[in-house]
Amino acid sequence: DIQMTQSPSSLSASVGDRVSITCRASQSISFYLNWYQQKPGKAPNLLIYAASSLQSGVPSRFSGSGSGTDFTLTISSLQPEDFATYYCQQSYSTPPWTFGQGTKVEIK
Amino acid sequence: EVQLLESGGGLAQPGGSLRLSCAASGFTFSSYAMSWVRQAPGKGLEWVSAISGSTGYTNYADSVKGRFTISRDNSKDTLYLQMNSLRAEDTAFYYCAKAASGWSTYDIWGQGTMVTVSS
């Protein structure tokens, strides 16, 4: 199985900060990488698919980059509604389609 | 409006069974693969099972293979998860999720249903 490792596990940031979260795959997954946002008590929400494509309706302050094994989710200017947990997920080839362990973004 | 609505969660004893349902609306259900993803309390996301749109081809995580069965009724726009031989470690919120394309990029999620396995 492909293992996905996110870093950091948590971070504290202020409104307006630029925030980056990284995700590393245990083997090359090309660009088959998705990012989800989850707020407490809610279902996950797709932000970025295919490593860098912005899902419809998602603000442009969210962006994704990377290919192969190393990927990054960047929030260009953190907003109050962005405080949440973020998960990467590989969608490469055959199952299981594994998720990272999550990164919790908290208010500083 | 595109929507998924799960039901069927609750309390089950170890070794028991539950059947989850996920009612879909607002899209052509038979055209999309569907999955179940679970989340233990305070933990991360775990993909559980997937089924193709029309052929009924299925996939399972090793942790549930042989115990869980995913199915769908395209005439009722409904996805199911039959869970047998339940274990304490199956305790989680269970989400149904629609694949945007292919199998495994999920653009629509239900609100989740809680399954608790305890004696």
Side-chain angles (χ1 to χ4, degrees):
Chain A
D1 297 355
I2 299 173
Q3 308 303 316
M4 306 301 293
T5 304
Q6 290 180 232
S7 61
S9 296
S10 63
L11 64 90
S12 296
S14 300
V15 172
D17 284 353
R18 182 181 181 89
V19 169
S20 291
I21 299 168
T22 63
C23 179
R24 175 165 288 177
S26 60
Q27 66 183 72
S28 177
I29 57 171
S30 184
F31 56 85
Y32 293 95
L33 191 283
N34 307 313
W35 290 99
Y36 299 87
Q37 177 194 66
Q38 187 180 32
K39 297 182 179 179
K42 300 294 187 181
N45 181 49
L46 178 65
L47 298 176
I48 301 286
Y49 63 94
S52 61
S53 295
L54 191 68
Q55 173 69 358
S56 175
V58 174
S60 59
R61 62 180 179 274
F62 291 93
S63 64
S65 63
S67 66
T69 61
D70 295 314
F71 302 86
T72 302
L73 173 70
T74 300
I75 309 172
S76 60
S77 178
L78 198 65
Q79 298 302 299
E81 60 268 30
D82 301 337
F83 292 96
T85 300
Y86 294 84
Y87 292 93
C88 63
Q89 178 226 359
Q90 62 86 9
S91 56
Y92 181 74
S93 189
T94 56
W97 297 294
T98 43
F99 293 85
Q101 81 279 14
T103 295
K104 187 174 184 179
V105 177
E106 298 176 301
I107 302 172
K108 181 182 285 184
Chain B
E1 181 189 5
V2 178
Q3 195 170 5
L4 298 171
L5 187 63
E6 301 98 333
S7 60
L11 177 65
Q13 292 195 332
S17 298
L18 279 176
R19 188 197 198 201
L20 306 183
S21 299
C22 171
S25 59
F27 64 99
T28 305
F29 181 68
S30 60
S31 295
Y32 297 93
M34 298 291 295
S35 282
W36 289 96
V37 177
R38 69 184 180 184
Q39 186 171 36
K43 302 297 184 182
L45 300 167
E46 179 188 14
W47 171 80
V48 172
S49 183
I51 186 167
S52 64
S54 54
T55 63
Y57 187 77
T58 59
N59 285 293
Y60 297 93
D62 285 346
S63 58
V64 306
K65 199 172 294 183
R67 301 187 299 121
F68 290 12
T69 302
I70 190 172
S71 63
R72 64 192 296 161
D73 185 338
N74 288 339
S75 70
K76 296 182 178 179
D77 292 348
T78 302
L79 176 73
Y80 303 100
L81 186 68
Q82 177 67 44
M83 304 186 294
N84 299 331
S85 303
L86 283 163
R87 305 167 179 168
E89 54 265 35
D90 296 320
T91 294
F93 266 98
Y94 284 74
Y95 296 100
C96 65
K98 168 188 168 290
S101 62
W103 280 87
S104 51
T105 296
Y106 307 121
D107 62 343
I108 304 295
W109 296 65
Q111 85 290 350
T113 188
M114 183 67 197
V115 171
T116 303
V117 183
S118 174
S119 55

